[in-house]
Amino acid sequence: MSSEAKYSKGIWSVITASSVGTLIEWYDFYIFGSLATIIAAQFFPEDKGSAALLSTLAIFAAGFIVRPFGALVFGRLGDLVGRKYTFLLTLVLMGGSTFAIGLIPNYKSIGVAAPLLVLLLRLIQGLALGGEYGGAATYVAEHSPAHKRGFYTSWIQTTATLGLFVSLGIILFTRSTMGVEKFNDWGWRIPFLVSSLLVILSIYIRLKMNESPLFSKLKKEGKTSTNPLKESFTKRDNLKMVLLALFGAVMGQGVIWYTGQFYAQSFIENVCKIEFAQSRTILLWAIAFATPFFVVFGALSDRFGRKWIMMLGMLLGIFSYRPIYQHFLDITNEKNKVEIVAERSVERTATLVPNKADSLIKTTTIKHFDDGALFKEVKTDTLYVATGKSAIKPVVKIEKTVGDSNYWTFIVLIFFQILLVTMVYGPIAAFLVELFPTRIRYTSMSLPYHIGNGVFGGLVPFISTLIIEYTKSPENPTGSPLAGLWYPIIVASVCLVIGTLYLTNHIDKNVRDDENDYIHKH
Amino acid sequence: MNALKRILGIFWLLMGPAVLGFLIFEAVKKNSLPTSTSNDMLQWGIIIGIFVPIAIGLMIFGYYSMKGAYDLED
């Protein structure tokens, strides 16, 4: 076998081993978000409604917020003892905490201990993820030749989206196999428990890997950093690059990513009221079509540089989000549709409230529209025996299933948003790796990455939902549904200005310390 | 371009405290509403707690920028 063929085989083994583990970590992390509405019902009091969802989103966000701390802890470890063992450890922590979430009894069984345990395990998940990505990206980059670094590291970039894809796939499969009722009752635990099998597989693969050649060389020569944290964040030459990476690239990349994938899903499910399974298959198709573009833009960044591809992705996001989300609202708005009145069905049932004399009146209305859409409204009213009156505010649940044409419109528009994600995210691993020297690379690149993605990006669903809540008033009870987009638009705009003016389009020819010239060019 | 980066450095330097001031103002305003709950206070506490170090980072970035740390050699 020629040396080139051996190298090629070697690099693909490195990419596979790194990617599979990282994909599983993302899977573990995302099943929580994908099941937010069910988790809200399981771990919070039943009568909390949107407050429970907001609390779940807050716990979801907590997992993101601690990621920078994971980056510091495990980044330091990775620069001290090596990449391989550090990201083995993060994998075990992630798998263990995900498995444990699947075992926690619900709020009815153990009360407030349930959300507290979920929060604790979610924090461990966040810490583990904070240590994982930097290690995987660094590991692959340190095995890659300069002219293909963007291409090879972009495979790691696909794992985040594929992790979401696998999580949605397993959730939908489990739900359709066992039925909605059983799934909402206890079946939602299965995707969490499945994680343990995936983690064992990944640990087996990763144990076979060797340490990064650049790190091994440094270690052999006794040149590894003795205090990576101090070296990364107290030396001006390095700190200024950490800040530039955060404010000029990762901050904008983070909000574009989380808007395109997570806010889009949350918006079509909670604001547009698209039915559970349909909202998820829309996202699945969009992800399936868009994922190859991570590699396309990663490879293009080797040719044209990283900067302009990322900046273009942010620019398109800034200008397209509001029209796209307005269109989502328009095509699911009943006022814009023609109902086939003859097909309307109304069903009314009355049941007694357990242990009380009051009655629950459930009215289910199903409307069909000429574009193939089907809207289902379930109104639950309580009739109080003592007063002979019904509740002032009945509980109304709306589920919309759109017709074929609008289904594909959703897919195309979410595909476009994920395409923007691939533009900003595909080249970013190579970009970050090239900013920092080997001896402190794991620590230095992990922190801005996880602040940008974990804090700025991870908070997109939470802050956007919060902004919408604040626009609600007695005159406007639904609030302004597009108001939440101002958060990602403003953050991406600031990042675009900083990135355009301050970043160079330079591709570092070699990421070895002694030949790293990027920092010295500034 | 280097001159523009230095001038904008002042803007980033001021933007850090401006963002914090805005968040604190909003937090006080929202939490003094009669409808506010302890949950609101917690949410705003978390948001401000997270963004304090980031705002400080932005100020340091602005300071470096103003001092020419990001100037490119010709």
Side-chain angles (χ1 to χ4, degrees):
Chain A
M1 194 184 282
S2 70
S3 61
E4 197 173 321
K6 266 188 193 168
Y7 172 79
S8 179
K9 193 182 166 196
I11 185 76
W12 285 109
S13 304
V14 165
I15 290 169
T16 307
S18 305
S19 301
V20 170
T22 312
L23 186 148
I24 291 167
E25 289 224 19
W26 286 115
Y27 164 83
D28 287 356
F29 201 66
Y30 287 146
I31 43 178
F32 193 98
S34 302
L35 292 171
T37 43
I38 293 172
I39 289 172
Q42 288 286 333
F43 294 113
F44 292 91
E46 276 178 357
D47 56 349
K48 290 291 182 189
S50 65
L53 180 63
L54 209 55
S55 302
T56 308
L57 286 176
I59 291 181
F60 181 60
F64 287 96
I65 292 162
V66 295
R67 277 168 56 178
F69 298 102
L72 291 176
V73 173
F74 295 107
R76 176 179 176 274
L77 206 60
D79 282 329
L80 286 174
V81 303
R83 286 51 166 137
K84 178 184 167 180
Y85 289 103
T86 306
F87 67 15
L88 263 174
L89 179 61
T90 61
L91 195 58
V92 172
L93 279 175
M94 177 62 100
S97 49
T98 306
F99 183 74
I101 290 177
L103 298 176
I104 298 176
N106 60 18
Y107 186 86
K108 275 184 196 161
S109 309
I110 58 168
V112 76
L116 287 177
L117 280 171
V118 174
L119 176 64
L120 177 71
L121 292 167
R122 184 71 187 154
L123 293 177
I124 296 174
Q125 278 194 325
L127 284 174
L129 189 66
E132 164 68 24
Y133 171 83
T138 301
Y139 188 78
V140 173
E142 289 178 352
H143 281 86
S144 309
H147 68 287
K148 283 193 170 178
R149 195 175 298 122
F151 172 65
Y152 286 139
T153 54
S154 66
W155 289 92
I156 289 287
Q157 304 306 93
T158 64
T159 59
T161 298
L162 285 176
L164 177 65
F165 184 86
V166 176
S167 77
L168 290 171
I170 290 186
I171 288 167
L172 280 177
F173 176 75
T174 316
R175 192 173 181 264
S176 62
T177 308
M178 66 193 322
V180 178
E181 211 163 295
K182 276 187 187 166
F183 182 80
N184 289 348
D185 187 26
W186 60 269
W188 60 270
R189 294 178 187 274
I190 292 174
F192 285 95
L193 301 177
V194 162
S195 160
S196 59
L197 300 174
L198 300 174
V199 167
I200 290 167
L201 172 79
S202 180
I203 290 172
Y204 172 75
I205 296 172
R206 281 196 174 175
L207 275 172
K208 289 181 170 177
M209 292 158 70
N210 295 317
E211 184 52 86
S212 142
L214 294 188
F215 183 82
S216 299
K217 183 172 172 280
L218 276 191
K219 198 164 186 181
K220 206 171 167 186
E221 292 167 355
K223 288 182 181 171
T224 52
S225 174
T226 51
N227 193 342
L229 289 178
K230 191 177 171 192
E231 210 173 310
S232 293
F233 308 117
T234 58
K235 283 192 176 175
R236 179 185 145 122
D237 273 352
N238 201 60
L239 178 62
K240 74 175 189 186
M241 301 315 286
V242 170
L243 294 170
L244 180 59
L246 172 62
F247 295 117
V250 195
M251 170 173 90
Q253 172 260 302
V255 293
I256 295 287
W257 183 13
Y258 285 86
T259 304
Q261 291 188 184
F262 299 100
Y263 189 62
Q265 188 198 338
S266 171
F267 191 88
I268 65 171
E269 190 181 355
N270 298 313
V271 180
C272 299
K273 303 288 180 192
I274 299 292
E275 185 264 334
F276 183 96
Q278 195 176 48
S279 67
R280 277 152 185 81
T281 57
I282 286 170
L283 200 65
L284 276 174
W285 280 114
I287 290 174
F289 293 134
T291 299
F293 288 92
F294 282 108
V295 181
V296 171
F297 288 116
L300 285 175
S301 77
D302 285 327
R303 198 165 167 194
F304 301 109
R306 328 285 182 208
K307 173 183 168 178
W308 291 116
I309 294 175
M310 295 192 292
M311 295 303 127
L312 182 62
M314 285 180 213
L315 183 74
L316 292 172
I318 291 164
F319 286 104
S320 64
Y321 282 152
R322 282 184 68 89
I324 287 175
Y325 283 79
Q326 182 60 56
H327 196 65
F328 286 162
L329 290 174
D330 291 342
I331 59 178
T332 50
N333 189 342
E334 196 175 331
K335 287 176 187 160
N336 299 332
K337 293 179 185 295
V338 178
E339 188 190 349
I340 307 169
V341 183
E343 290 185 18
R344 184 191 289 192
S345 73
V346 180
E347 193 184 303
R348 194 163 289 153
T349 57
T351 50
L352 283 176
V353 177
N355 306 321
K356 286 183 183 174
D358 303 332
S359 301
L360 282 179
I361 313 290
K362 192 186 264 188
T363 311
T364 306
T365 310
I366 297 175
K367 295 177 184 173
H368 295 262
F369 298 89
D370 66 346
D371 63 353
L374 185 151
F375 290 4
K376 181 180 171 188
E377 183 194 274
V378 181
K379 194 160 93 176
T380 309
D381 216 347
T382 310
L383 187 67
Y384 297 106
V385 170
T387 59
K389 290 180 180 171
S390 55
I392 297 167
K393 205 177 168 190
V395 179
V396 180
K397 196 180 168 203
I398 298 170
E399 267 184 7
K400 299 178 181 178
T401 307
V402 291
D404 283 349
S405 158
N406 284 333
Y407 180 69
W408 284 100
T409 305
F410 268 111
I411 291 172
V412 168
L413 291 176
I414 294 183
F415 162 80
F416 176 73
Q417 291 182 65
I418 301 177
L419 190 72
L420 304 184
V421 175
T422 64
M423 291 177 81
V424 295
Y425 196 60
I428 204 130
F431 165 79
L432 288 173
V433 162
E434 288 168 354
L435 278 184
F436 305 105
T438 308
R439 50 192 277 120
I440 52 168
R441 182 172 293 135
Y442 201 148
T443 311
S444 300
M445 73 167 278
S446 292
L447 187 72
Y449 174 83
H450 287 290
I451 293 177
N453 285 279
V455 177
F456 282 100
L459 286 177
V460 168
F462 177 68
I463 292 184
S464 298
T465 307
L466 195 65
I467 293 172
I468 295 175
E469 285 295 314
Y470 282 127
T471 61
K472 290 181 180 173
S473 65
E475 300 80 42
N476 182 14
T478 54
S480 172
L482 298 184
L485 290 169
W486 285 117
Y487 170 68
I489 288 174
I490 291 170
V491 172
S493 301
V494 172
C495 188
L496 177 68
V497 172
I498 294 178
T500 303
L501 292 174
Y502 291 79
L503 292 180
T504 67
N505 202 31
H506 170 79
I507 297 175
D508 192 12
K509 293 288 176 212
N510 201 314
V511 289
R512 291 172 195 206
D513 289 5
D514 51 350
E515 293 164 57
N516 185 319
D517 60 349
Y518 195 89
I519 287 176
H520 307 297
K521 279 197 176 264
H522 282 85
Chain B
M1 189 63 87
N2 287 343
L4 180 62
K5 285 183 198 171
R6 287 181 182 224
I7 293 166
L8 276 174
I10 302 168
F11 178 72
W12 309 128
L13 187 62
L14 296 174
M15 199 173 162
V19 168
L20 269 188
F22 171 75
L23 288 176
I24 292 169
F25 174 76
E26 282 296 309
V28 171
K29 200 169 90 178
K30 304 295 182 198
N31 282 293
S32 48
L33 291 174
T35 51
S36 71
T37 62
S38 56
N39 207 15
D40 292 331
M41 202 175 284
L42 182 69
Q43 284 163 5
W44 277 100
I46 292 170
I47 291 173
I48 290 172
I50 293 164
F51 281 101
V52 166
I54 292 173
I56 294 170
L58 187 60
M59 289 166 68
I60 298 171
F61 174 76
Y63 176 75
Y64 283 163
S65 174
M66 200 174 75
K67 290 288 175 187
Y70 296 107
D71 287 2
L72 278 178
E73 291 164 12
D74 292 323

